[in-house]
Amino acid sequence: MNEVVSPQEMKRIEDKASEMGVAPVLLMENAGRSIADRILNRFTDLNDKSICIICGTGNNGGDGFVAGRHLAVYGAKVDVILLGPENAIKTAEARASWRQIRAMTRTISIYALNEENKVDNIREIIVDAEIVVDAILGTGVEGDLRPLAARAISLINSSSAYKISVDIPSGLDPLTGVVHTIAVEADVTVTFHKMKVGLEGRMKQTGEVVVSRIGIPMEAEMQDLD
Ligand SMILES: NC(=O)c1ccc[n+]([C@@H]2O[C@H](COP(=O)([O-])OP(=O)(O)OC[C@H]3O[C@@H](n4cnc5c(N)ncnc54)[C@H](OP(=O)(O)O)[C@@H]3O)[C@@H](O)[C@H]2O)c1
């Protein structure tokens, strides 16, 4: 079995895991929890720490919602910024995670952006945070970065926060490692199940790379089990 996989191979592995009964919602829970664990290991005491989690509308963003739920329970002051309206959230598992954090009205502040509510209106939340979680784009990125994502990435990079990227630094091509416009420059990237090929040799964007197993069975990689 390969130790390094492409985004397409990762998708096949996730689909196979789902066929085996390991539902995407379980993988999202484990992924988000592993992000929270990494932050806990680094900081130990999260009481009143300001953590800004910037999320896209795909499952990478869903991992960010789950991380926020866990981190708020440790007393962190959590802000979640969704780069889009909430009706743009793509998958059932991400929508479920979103509903959970929506209900955490005392411990999590939520900002869903649209044309009128631009990211620059809340730039201080990103720039002044002690910890920033980049959950904008993962293996599902396609084509040129859209302006909202590009602007959010620029604000993340201008922050002196400790930065953690979920699976892939947003803006980095997960297959080629090329940065077409701009990419997050993270202190650490927690990538799921296996190293992704585009992360190799891209320390400037990835920082330290940690591979976190999220409960995908190794059988999901074995072709002969079809
Ligand atoms: N499924 C699983 O089993 C599993 C397990 C563990 C973790 N994950 C997480 O899920 C991630 C993959 O989720 P995903 O397939 O939903 O993809 P994604 O990486 O979340 O990206 C897809 C989202 O990004 C938007 N997008 C795509 N290209 C863009 C661009 N160039 N500029 C701005 N926005 C863009 C898409 O919008 P449009 O649809 O409008 O184009 C969509 O909302 C992984 O990286 C990992 O973090 C998944």
Side-chain angles (χ1 to χ4, degrees):
M1 276 176 283
N2 295 338
E3 284 314 305
V4 181
V5 295
S6 70
Q8 290 73 19
E9 285 164 333
M10 193 61 220
K11 176 83 175 72
R12 276 199 294 278
I13 292 167
E14 287 166 6
D15 288 347
K16 185 76 186 171
S18 182
E19 277 173 38
M20 293 171 68
V22 184
V25 70
L26 293 176
L27 301 182
M28 182 172 284
E29 183 65 28
N30 290 340
R33 173 76 215 198
S34 77
I35 295 293
D37 282 345
R38 189 73 204 171
I39 292 172
L40 270 163
N41 286 343
R42 170 72 172 70
F43 290 91
T44 316
D45 181 9
L46 294 183
N47 206 32
D48 282 336
K49 275 254 178 312
S50 56
I51 304 181
C52 177
I53 306 177
I54 308 176
C55 302
T57 52
N59 274 356
N60 196 256
D63 298 341
F65 306 154
V66 173
R69 168 160 49 81
H70 284 284
L71 291 163
V73 176
Y74 286 92
K77 183 187 159 304
V78 176
D79 292 300
V80 174
I81 298 174
L82 177 66
L83 298 185
E86 60 183 345
N87 63 10
I89 298 173
K90 305 284 169 205
T91 65
E93 57 273 20
R95 283 194 293 274
S97 300
W98 173 256
R99 281 194 296 277
Q100 292 158 9
I101 60 167
R102 283 297 306 240
M104 295 173 71
T105 52
R106 288 162 191 258
T107 51
I108 299 185
S109 301
I110 284 181
Y111 307 84
L113 302 185
N114 52 42
E115 284 304 308
E116 291 73 45
N117 189 8
K118 298 194 188 327
V119 70
D120 278 282
N121 295 349
I122 51 172
R123 68 183 297 284
E124 289 76 17
I125 295 173
I126 302 173
V127 172
D128 296 344
E130 292 168 276
I131 300 164
V132 168
V133 178
D134 154 36
I136 303 173
L137 293 163
T139 51
V141 61
E142 280 178 1
D144 291 340
L145 271 189
R146 291 175 210 148
L148 184 57
R151 181 64 190 145
I153 291 169
S154 160
L155 289 174
I156 291 172
N157 285 347
S158 71
S159 167
S160 57
Y162 178 81
K163 303 178 189 79
I164 177 164
S165 281
V166 176
D167 204 22
I168 310 283
S170 296
L172 185 81
D173 186 315
L175 179 62
T176 63
V178 169
V179 176
H180 296 289
T181 315
I182 185 172
V184 169
E185 294 177 2
D187 293 292
V188 61
T189 296
V190 178
T191 198
F192 303 126
H193 185 66
K194 288 277 171 86
M195 179 73 175
K196 310 300 167 338
V197 61
L199 297 178
E200 289 189 308
R202 303 289 167 175
M203 273 289 288
K204 181 166 186 245
Q205 288 79 30
T206 62
E208 181 191 1
V209 179
V210 176
V211 178
S212 176
R213 308 293 188 181
I214 54 172
I216 295 176
M218 285 306 173
E219 285 80 351
E221 293 183 52
M222 297 175 186
Q223 305 289 336
D224 54 351
L225 288 182
D226 285 339

